Amino acid sequence: MLRRQDVGHRVVVRRIVGVTPDRTLYTDALGELVDLTDTDLTIATDKGTVKVPLREVHRAKRVPPARRPPARDVIDLELAANAAWPAPVQARLGSWILRAAGNWTGRANSALAVGDPDRTLEAAIDAVTEWYTAHGQRPLINAPMPLAAPVNAALDARGWTARPLTLVQTALLTPLISRLEARTDLPPVELADTPGDDWYAMVAEHKGTLPAAAAHILTGPDEVVFAQVRDGDGELMAVARGAVTDPGRRLGVSLLQTAPAARRRGLAQHVVRGLAQWATQHNATRAYLQVEERNTAAVTLYGRIGFTTHHTYLTREAPL
């Protein structure tokens, strides 16, 4: 049977779907285990998310991932993402990175558990707990999967909970630009070095009130751009942020949003194309983004554009 440490891994579940006089009927579900409770398990399959009551599970086990990226690739991508979303307070625990930003976003307020923490795993978790407690914050650990499977297992044993699974998705820029049609029927994508007040306001509608730490994170990278599309009256219809960082000269796409009244017009793809063109001028060759697996509308959109899942991560929370 599956356990909490299997969350984030690829699994196969044989489910009882009926019983006839002659035999029991089964169906199989293959995908990534995204949640496991005392009553149900949830799997992200190629056909969508499936929730299975445990009473219907005949057999379940972990299976090898469909495509497991090398550990070095996962680490490099996570380090690039950290550089693109720089917390104002950072410290090192061996190769782990401790980050704090006044609790604005999980990424900037969690320990990034990649590489060697230069001590035992149990001692590393203790050190993370002490550091965040000293900063007046709930301890969080960002655990990329399946690279950090031992970390997740140790946290399970300590009773740490998990936030919804996040997909880290990637795409090559040149095919991405080719796939996205140039839209001459839409206003041009404007690119600015700094965000305006209304840009911040649109982001705040989704992310909540932006503290001072947010401005540090958003404007911190050396190569960062703020995209926007306005209608004929000058009102914002869509925004996004792009940052090119090392290692790997990757474009990180974040905060892609469309005003409710302007949705279903192709503005999201229009903005992503503008960011991709800007990134190629900054010698980037690949793009990435992070999206919660449960955000099915966004996951569908990014898949249509050409993004595929490179790896996943869980943000783990210490017990209260």
Side-chain angles (χ1 to χ4, degrees), residues 296-318:
T296 54
V299 172
T300 300
L301 167 66
Y302 298 141
R304 190 184 311 125
I305 291 173
F307 282 90
T308 59
T309 299
H310 183 271
H311 66 277
T312 65
Y313 72 75
L314 288 168
T315 298
R316 306 300 302 269
E317 299 178 319

Side-chain angles (χ1 to χ4, degrees), residues 30 36 53 62 129 207:
L30 175 67
L36 178 63
R62 190 192 298 187
T129 301
K207 286 289 188 181

Side-chain angles (χ1 to χ4, degrees), residues 99-103 108-110 129 131-140:
R99 307 172 291 189
N103 288 315
N109 291 278
S110 57
T129 301
W131 192 85
Y132 281 97
T133 301
H135 285 78
Q137 296 187 196
R138 186 178 184 181
L140 303 177

Side-chain angles (χ1 to χ4, degrees), residues 1 3 18 64 67 76 107 121 129 139 229 276 315:
M1 193 58 183
R3 297 172 293 174
R67 181 184 62 85
D76 283 351
R107 275 180 283 170
L121 184 52
T129 301
V229 179
T315 298

Side-chain angles (χ1 to χ4, degrees), residues 15 29 32 34 41-45 47-52 293:
R15 179 181 186 178
E32 192 167 68
V34 298
L41 59 82
T42 304
I43 311 169
T45 74
K47 297 180 180 179
T49 300
V50 178
K51 188 173 184 178
V52 182
E293 182 274 338

Side-chain angles (χ1 to χ4, degrees), residues 92-96 113-125 151:
R92 287 279 181 173
L93 188 70
S95 297
W96 289 19
V114 295
D116 184 0
D118 199 26
R119 63 206 68 200
T120 67
L121 184 52
E122 294 299 327
I125 296 171
V151 177

Side-chain angles (χ1 to χ4, degrees), residues 5 96 111 113-115 117 121-122 124-125 141-158 160 316:
Q5 52 262 47
W96 289 19
V114 295
L121 184 52
E122 294 299 327
I125 296 171
I141 293 180
N142 181 322
M145 296 295 293
L147 180 68
V151 177
N152 274 309
L155 295 175
D156 284 337
R158 288 181 174 226
W160 286 50
R316 306 300 302 269

Side-chain angles (χ1 to χ4, degrees), residues 81-82 84-89 98-111 132 137-142 163 166 203-204 206-211 213-218 241 254-255 257 290 292 313 315-317:
N82 179 67
W85 201 259
V89 180
L98 310 180
R99 307 172 291 189
N103 288 315
W104 191 72
T105 76
R107 275 180 283 170
N109 291 278
S110 57
Y132 281 97
Q137 296 187 196
R138 186 178 184 181
L140 303 177
I141 293 180
N142 181 322
R163 292 183 178 180
T166 297
V203 169
H206 175 66
K207 286 289 188 181
T209 302
L210 304 184
H216 180 283
I217 293 169
L218 296 177
R241 173 184 177 271
S254 60
L255 301 175
Q257 294 179 55
Q290 298 165 328
E292 284 191 3
Y313 72 75
T315 298
R316 306 300 302 269
E317 299 178 319

